[in-house]
Amino acid sequence: AGPGPAAVAGPGSVRVAMPSAVRTLCLAALLGALGAGGTELTLELPDSAQRCFHQELESGVKFTLDYQVISGGHYDVDCYVEDPNGKTIYQETKKQYDSFSHHTEAKGVYTFCFSNEFSTFSHKIVYFDFQVGDEPPILPDMNNRVTALTQLESACVTIHEMLKAVIDSQTHYRLREAQDRSRAEELNGRVSYWSVGETLILFVVSIGQVMLLKSFFTEKRPSSGGAGT
């Protein structure tokens, strides 16, 4: 018989070699967590413009739309979702961020639009994540099992959930970092313009003061008198 899965590593410590099937299972769970997700896009929305996206869905399917305005104006945008029959199932105006979930009732093309038509000079940068359907289980026949999960399977499920939370947190902090950077650049631009304006004002005031002081000490010669006798 070959060596067992366990081997003694040293006094008071035991190293257990994970079986190849379980290693494959955990690796699949990790890759599933990293690869899970829907369509993520970042788009530029000009002033007085609207951008629409279309997705064909089956009936009885769940979809989720998350969006957030990263930069531009007051960080707000209009958003609405229509079903294949033209019925508006979601509509919000001047929102900075929001999330919408819906189970489809009819098969066809669903449309969701972002509108910046209320703004006449502010361009917006909008991020959105569109996910369709529920995430499949990471373990085969996980929903139909009658026996409890093993310790290693439970650990794989726990790692999978933690990785999903990490991915969501990274996305959230990337969006916050992009939004804060946009605000910082906008503030830096305003400070730069204000500094240039103050410099010009000081320059003009300095020249005016010099001219005024010079006029105080300039000798004014009297005009010549009448012709002598």
Side-chain angles (χ1 to χ4, degrees):
V8 178
S13 64
V14 177
R15 180 174 58 88
V16 178
M18 187 179 298
S20 59
V22 179
R23 288 201 303 268
T24 304
L25 182 63
C26 288
L27 181 60
L30 297 181
L31 294 178
L34 294 176
T39 301
E40 295 183 66
L41 289 177
T42 302
L43 62 103
E44 181 178 0
L45 194 60
D47 54 283
S48 304
Q50 178 175 284
R51 294 287 184 268
C52 294
F53 300 86
H54 311 275
Q55 179 67 44
E56 185 174 1
L57 301 174
E58 299 290 335
S59 61
V61 176
K62 176 185 177 182
F63 70 86
T64 302
L65 174 64
D66 299 320
Y67 65 91
Q68 180 174 344
V69 181
I70 300 177
S71 66
H74 296 286
Y75 301 89
D76 52 358
V77 70
D78 295 344
C79 179
Y80 67 89
V81 181
E82 291 183 351
D83 63 6
N85 300 322
K87 177 183 177 182
T88 302
I89 57 179
Y90 170 82
Q91 184 173 8
E92 289 291 343
T93 59
K94 296 185 178 181
K95 295 283 290 187
Q96 180 178 349
Y97 59 88
D98 201 6
S99 178
F100 171 69
S101 298
H102 180 73
H103 283 83
T104 61
E105 299 178 355
K107 177 182 177 181
V109 177
Y110 286 76
T111 303
F112 58 97
C113 300
F114 300 100
S115 175
N116 193 31
E117 295 177 334
F118 60 87
S119 179
T120 57
F121 57 88
S122 296
H123 288 219
K124 308 290 176 64
I125 302 296
V126 182
Y127 161 86
F128 74 88
D129 180 10
F130 186 77
Q131 297 186 3
V132 179
D134 295 323
E135 183 182 2
I138 63 173
L139 300 177
D141 300 329
M142 182 175 176
N143 297 330
N144 301 325
R145 296 186 59 168
V146 294
T147 59
L149 298 177
T150 65
Q151 184 176 1
L152 290 176
E153 289 174 340
S154 300
C156 290
V157 173
T158 302
I159 293 174
H160 177 75
E161 297 298 330
M162 293 176 64
L163 283 177
K164 288 201 305 181
V166 169
I167 293 173
D168 292 340
S169 297
Q170 287 179 339
T171 302
H172 172 71
Y173 285 117
R174 281 199 301 267
L175 292 177
R176 287 195 59 181
E177 190 273 339
Q179 190 177 68
D180 293 341
R181 178 180 294 273
S182 175
R183 289 180 175 176
E185 290 177 353
E186 182 181 358
L187 182 60
N188 179 64
R190 292 183 178 181
V191 171
S192 299
Y193 289 135
W194 180 257
S195 300
V196 172
E198 284 188 331
T199 302
L200 293 177
I201 292 175
L202 289 175
F203 185 72
V204 172
V205 170
S206 300
I207 294 179
Q209 289 180 343
V210 171
M211 297 293 293
L212 182 63
L213 291 175
K214 185 178 179 180
S215 65
F216 288 160
F217 296 97
T218 300
E219 181 180 359
K220 295 183 180 179
R221 295 181 179 181
S223 58
S224 57
T229 55

